[in-house]
Amino acid sequence: MANLQIHLLGGLQIRLGDGDPPHFVSSKAPALLAYLAVTRRPHRREALAGLLWGEMPDDAAANNLRQALSSLRKAAEPHLRIDRDEVAFNADAPYFLDVELFSDLLRLQRGQPPAQGIGLLRRALSLYQGEFLAGFHVRDAPDFEEWVLGQRVQLRDLALDGLESLTRLLIESGQCQEAIPVTAQLLALDPWREEAHRWRMLALARCRQTSAALAQYRSCRAILRQEFDADPSAETTALYERIRAAQNAPRHNLPGATTGFVGREEELAALAGLLAHPANRLLTLLGPGGVGKTRLAVEVAQALVPPDPRAPGLAQFDRIVFVPLVACASRAQLLDVLVERLRAAPGEAAPLDRIAAALRGRRTLIVLDNFEQLVECAGDVVADLLALAPGLHAVVTSRRTLGLDGEHVVALHGLPLPHDQADLEEAAHNPALALFVDRAQSVRPDFHLGARNLATLTALMHRLDGLPLAVELAASRVRSFAPAEMLAMLDRPAGQRGDLVARSGPRAALDPRHASMQQVVAWSWGLLDDRQRVLLQSLVPFDGGCTAAAAAAVLDDPQAALCLDELVGHSLLQARAGMSGSTRFAPYEPVREFAALHTDAATAQRLRARHRAWVRLWAGQLPPT
């Protein structure tokens, strides 16, 4: 059975299979087929006769309907169901109807992820080749013409909504250049649609075509004044002012990088995608000290910096503000720093109100770096600012989650580690090894990854848990030590190895918290209560971590599981699925070493004794082999 193809958008084309278009004596026969195919329901004969021959007497109208049906039978009989009383389109026979597919694709794209939504919208809009039955006319059939007009308006509105949805998705996903021709299509269909002018202004500005974006506003204003004697809305005018202001606004105060960005490229792309979505206004980069939270936050912010004023445009944000918080320990200190960094206007109003006023009307990305010590005393400040300033987005780096509504937590762990049996080609693409080699070559240019040192460097990365700061600090030592010597130093008992992963010289004075991994852990250790510290110490005897039940047995505390969860929240423990399905908790290696060094001899002896007792009990419960 041949496939019947009916194209109604942009004109009328009917074809059965690969043959030539059928010949109809009158335009009313194809009009009848189009009506039956679009409505997809049975119609009584007298209703169809009145639709197309309503100006004739009933007998004459019925006779013309019979002739039209006879013509349609010859052209596409399997696709019609005709009896004495009713006529219907046979949807069970193979057919293609552009109007139906157009509507179905527009409906399917709703709720889809952006990439799929864009693809479905493009496919749907490619079908809209013009207005419904454009250029096709039927004489003396006012009821049919009225139906055509209704379909034309409905489908045109669907096309306009589809073009606007496609524009929005393209801009939100960063494809601004591709959005520009879509906005041209939108305005060609409806030049009086003010939203379309705004979308085009935004797409042009984000592509650094600021002059064209400002000209689009003037064009919009001229059209509205001429047609409606009205000015653009406040929303359109505000966008125009933002585009103008973006040319001279300070763009960012991000710290400059002194080393290359290595090892977090996938996370960088994922974060940029999250920030592109308007709903993701609070992102928390969570992880232990030394995992690279600050560097990643700065890199993703740098990727979103507004364009240079010499080539102005409107980026996703008008400005980006970096706020270091390591010296802040109270709510009042946080507010003072924000007032300074955001250049809030002086006045008698409360600091929070002045900060909110400095944020309103602008799209600001703020990076709050090192927030962990402020979570309990000042977390509400972040929540209040997000509520008071709709254009604000925040990226927070912290060793603890903020626990706020709408918070999107991105947990960072050590860099992926190389496999023990990895060959040289595979190892060359490993992030941890790539970072080590990059930093090692800055102090010893002839250092390289080779077959002779691959196994040693792999073991070294595992001992450092892939923590970027630990990897960087160890790499700085290749000037004096071979990788095998470093590994041997780490294998010595805690307290006898010296601090291999430590920084010396001016850089240590500039950032004392990150001068060594011991000082990194000491910062987090200072945020713990006594019970949490004791629990960390109880995990030292376990090599490779343990279950909550094992920790509770060694600590003699049935509530240890809750405390373990708190330590995971402080980014001091890793929670991993064990072989048996139960969760295993393991401190990062620098944390384990720090806890061991800060456990007095009597406590360490007691914990080791309880650990040996637990091992004997556990071994006694194993089934015989």
Side-chain angles (χ1 to χ4, degrees):
M1 187 183 300
N3 181 41
L4 177 64
Q5 299 178 50
I6 306 174
H7 296 266
L8 305 177
L9 295 171
L12 174 66
Q13 295 181 29
I14 297 173
R15 187 183 298 274
L16 189 65
D18 297 326
D20 294 329
H23 174 71
F24 298 105
V25 176
S26 165
S27 63
K28 293 192 176 182
L32 177 59
L33 179 60
Y35 181 76
L36 293 171
V38 171
T39 57
R40 289 283 299 274
R41 60 183 176 83
H43 296 273
R44 295 194 63 80
R45 281 176 174 258
E46 54 266 30
L48 295 175
L51 178 73
L52 289 163
W53 295 275
E55 305 296 303
M56 295 183 177
D58 290 349
D59 289 347
N63 183 54
N64 276 283
L65 175 63
R66 283 193 295 273
Q67 292 180 26
L69 290 174
S70 175
S71 176
L72 289 177
R73 278 195 179 102
K74 294 176 183 177
E77 181 171 10
H79 296 83
L80 296 172
R81 289 176 176 157
I82 304 173
D83 60 32
R84 292 185 57 185
D85 299 317
E86 293 185 332
V87 181
F89 185 78
N90 180 17
D92 294 331
Y95 74 97
F96 168 84
L97 177 62
D98 59 351
V99 169
E100 182 180 58
L101 182 58
F102 173 71
S103 301
D104 287 346
L105 290 171
L106 289 178
R107 185 176 62 256
L108 284 172
Q109 65 86 23
R110 295 174 192 143
Q112 294 290 330
Q116 288 86 332
I118 288 171
L120 290 169
L121 283 167
R122 286 192 186 281
R123 187 179 170 198
L125 293 166
S126 70
L127 296 169
Y128 194 82
Q129 296 296 310
E131 291 193 325
F132 181 73
L133 288 178
F136 179 78
H137 302 286
V138 177
R139 294 178 57 189
D140 301 325
D143 289 348
F144 178 78
E145 291 292 338
E146 184 178 349
W147 173 77
V148 168
L149 182 60
Q151 292 295 311
R152 190 170 289 168
V153 171
Q154 179 182 346
L155 291 165
R156 182 173 173 274
D157 285 345
L158 284 176
L160 285 167
D161 290 344
L163 286 166
E164 191 165 300
S165 296
L166 178 57
T167 301
R168 176 179 54 79
L169 286 174
L170 288 170
I171 290 177
E172 288 178 356
S173 61
Q175 303 176 60
C176 301
Q177 192 65 51
E178 295 186 31
I180 293 175
V182 180
T183 61
Q185 292 177 267
L186 190 52
L187 286 168
L189 277 179
D190 189 353
W192 305 285
R193 195 180 184 98
E194 193 173 346
E195 297 91 341
H197 287 277
R198 283 201 299 272
W199 282 119
R200 185 164 178 81
M201 289 166 62
L202 188 59
L204 287 166
R206 291 199 179 173
C207 289
R208 303 189 179 192
Q209 299 180 40
T210 306
S211 297
L214 297 175
Q216 188 64 43
Y217 172 81
R218 293 190 288 270
S219 174
C220 172
R221 183 176 59 190
I223 289 171
L224 295 177
R225 284 180 176 176
Q226 180 180 346
E227 297 296 327
F228 307 109
D229 193 23
D231 284 323
S233 67
E235 185 177 358
T236 305
T237 303
L239 177 60
Y240 169 74
E241 295 297 341
R242 285 214 317 272
I243 294 172
R244 285 208 314 166
Q247 299 182 44
N248 302 313
R251 298 184 297 149
H252 71 87
N253 67 335
L254 295 170
T258 57
T259 57
F261 184 70
V262 180
R264 293 279 190 204
E265 291 80 6
E266 290 185 10
E267 290 91 338
L268 179 63
L271 284 171
L274 286 171
L275 280 171
H277 198 290
N280 296 328
R281 297 181 58 209
L282 173 58
L283 265 62
T284 298
L285 303 190
L286 180 72
V291 82
K293 303 182 294 295
T294 298
R295 182 61 187 272
L296 181 58
V298 170
E299 287 293 327
V300 73
Q302 187 69 52
L304 299 170
V305 166
D308 191 291
R310 289 168 296 179
L314 194 66
Q316 184 176 345
F317 298 103
D318 300 333
R319 61 174 174 170
I320 296 173
V321 182
F322 181 82
V323 184
L325 299 172
V326 66
C328 290
S330 69
R331 190 177 191 276
Q333 288 177 333
L334 171 63
L335 292 172
D336 288 344
V337 170
L338 289 174
V339 165
E340 176 191 350
R341 292 278 170 160
L342 292 169
R343 300 180 180 180
E348 298 299 323
L352 186 66
D353 294 332
R354 291 162 55 205
I355 295 166
L359 291 168
R360 288 193 192 100
R362 302 187 69 174
R363 293 172 307 136
T364 302
L365 174 65
I366 188 168
V367 180
L368 300 173
D369 188 40
N370 292 302
F371 201 87
E372 55 269 2
Q373 75 279 9
L374 297 167
V375 168
E376 293 177 358
C377 65
D380 63 307
V381 171
V382 179
D384 289 343
L385 289 177
L386 289 169
L388 293 169
L392 175 65
H393 284 61
V395 173
V396 179
T397 73
S398 178
R399 304 185 192 188
R400 302 170 62 187
T401 60
L402 277 63
L404 299 177
D405 291 340
E407 180 182 18
H408 194 112
V409 178
V410 179
L412 297 181
H413 303 288
L415 295 172
L417 296 168
H419 300 299
D420 290 335
Q421 303 302 320
D423 58 27
L424 196 57
E425 181 179 356
E426 179 184 348
H429 295 91
N430 175 260
L433 286 172
L435 178 62
F436 185 92
V437 172
D438 180 83
R439 300 301 190 258
Q441 288 177 344
S442 68
V443 296
R444 186 176 152 190
D446 63 339
F447 184 88
H448 68 278
L449 177 68
R452 296 181 61 182
N453 63 12
L454 175 58
T456 302
L457 287 175
T458 295
L460 185 60
M461 295 305 100
H462 281 267
R463 286 301 309 272
L464 299 174
D465 266 337
L467 289 173
L469 179 61
V471 172
E472 289 187 348
L473 294 175
S476 69
R477 298 291 185 142
V478 300
R479 165 176 45 213
S480 305
F481 301 103
E485 293 175 300
M486 297 186 204
L487 190 59
M489 291 169 66
L490 290 174
D491 284 336
R492 297 172 191 164
Q496 299 179 22
R497 63 182 65 154
D499 202 347
L500 172 69
V501 283
R503 184 177 280 134
S504 59
R507 291 189 66 192
L510 284 174
D511 187 5
R513 283 191 323 123
H514 285 176
S516 72
M517 284 306 300
Q518 291 291 302
Q519 287 173 275
V520 168
V521 179
W523 172 260
S524 290
W525 185 266
L527 299 176
L528 302 179
D529 58 34
D530 290 340
R531 183 165 174 263
Q532 292 167 333
R533 292 174 183 170
V534 171
L535 179 55
L536 266 181
Q537 292 168 335
S538 74
L539 299 181
V540 170
F542 292 97
D543 187 9
C546 65
T547 63
V554 171
L555 193 60
D556 194 20
D557 181 356
Q559 300 299 316
L562 295 176
C563 195
L564 286 168
D565 183 62
E566 294 169 6
L567 291 172
V568 172
H570 277 272
S571 302
L572 292 169
L573 291 186
Q574 303 175 78
R576 300 168 175 164
M579 296 286 290
S580 63
S582 58
T583 303
R584 294 186 67 81
F585 298 89
Y588 289 94
E589 189 60 28
V591 175
R592 183 169 178 248
E593 293 176 359
F594 187 94
L597 286 171
H598 289 77
T599 305
D600 62 75
T603 301
Q605 185 177 3
R606 176 173 54 82
L607 290 173
R608 284 196 297 270
R610 294 193 64 85
H611 177 257
R612 286 194 295 270
W614 176 83
V615 170
R616 286 194 294 269
L617 178 64
W618 173 78
Q621 295 172 346
L622 292 177
T625 57

